[in-house]
Amino acid sequence: MEPLPPPDAQFPSEKSLSVPQKKIHVLVGVTGSVAALKLPLLVSQLLEIPGLEVKVITTERAKHFYNTQEIPVTLYSDDDEWQTCVIRAWDLSKPLLFCPAMNTAMWEHPLTAQHVEQLKGFGYTEVPCVVKKLVCGDEGLGAMAEVETIVESVRRILAECVLPRQS
């Protein structure tokens, strides 16, 4: 997500966001998890935030879980695993949110905790997974956060980005 600063340093109201001077760019990356089912809903709710321009990078395996015709924004296919290259080239001064989604056994593996801590160490923001019954039948942590939670996290980050820096 690459927010651009507003023309003034005041905290914007919801109304002032509806007439943005500059677009705020959001890039959604989606992989081959069953959580990709939520992509159409996530994109549609993000598009309700005034001033956002949304694009999606999707792996080919993720396309199995949704209809590409339901995604009303630019959709880039990740044939050559370039999604990871985008993240490696990410400007660390820009916010990046990640929303883990996996089987409970995978979530509980010690490497997962190391990877999550490493991402947080880069300054990325985790939208934590939740407990629920997963498609595989497991019940426990691993399900991607609800779309509303993710969208609210984006809204919070956007509000933080447009607030003037306090010294």
Side-chain angles (χ1 to χ4, degrees):
M1 183 167 67
E2 183 179 337
L4 300 173
D8 59 21
Q10 296 179 10
F11 182 74
S13 67
E14 193 73 29
K15 283 185 179 179
S16 68
L17 281 177
S18 66
V19 187
Q21 296 295 326
K22 296 184 179 181
K23 288 279 187 189
I24 298 170
H25 303 279
V26 174
L27 181 63
V28 176
V30 60
T31 61
S33 163
V34 71
L37 287 167
K38 297 180 181 181
L39 182 63
L41 180 60
L42 177 61
V43 169
S44 70
Q45 288 192 17
L46 286 172
L47 289 172
E48 291 175 7
I49 300 174
L52 285 193
E53 178 180 302
V54 178
K55 295 183 180 177
V56 175
I57 299 177
T58 182
T59 62
E60 286 300 316
R61 292 179 192 255
K63 289 180 182 179
H64 169 76
F65 296 103
Y66 62 88
N67 179 350
T68 57
Q69 306 302 320
E70 295 177 358
I71 311 299
V73 299
T74 303
L75 190 67
Y76 299 100
S77 264
D78 188 5
D79 293 329
D80 297 319
E81 305 265 343
W82 59 273
Q83 190 169 156
T84 54
C85 295
V86 168
I87 292 173
R88 286 184 179 181
W90 197 259
D91 178 348
L92 293 176
S93 70
K94 308 287 186 211
L96 185 143
L97 283 72
F98 65 99
C99 309
M102 63 195 75
N103 173 280
T104 302
M106 293 169 69
W107 178 255
E108 292 174 349
H109 193 282
L111 282 176
T112 303
Q114 288 177 7
H115 293 160
V116 168
E117 287 309 310
Q118 189 170 22
L119 292 172
K120 289 162 69 172
F122 295 145
Y124 301 161
T125 301
E126 177 186 13
V127 181
C129 62
V130 296
V131 174
K132 71 185 246 188
K133 186 165 185 155
L134 304 173
V135 172
C136 65
D138 287 352
E139 188 158 347
L141 272 172
M144 187 176 81
E146 294 301 323
V147 168
E148 294 78 17
T149 303
I150 297 167
V151 172
E152 186 54 40
S153 297
V154 170
R155 286 182 184 277
R156 182 182 45 77
I157 293 288
L158 291 174
E160 290 172 6
C161 290
V162 298
L163 281 173
R165 298 277 182 217
Q166 305 272 331
S167 47

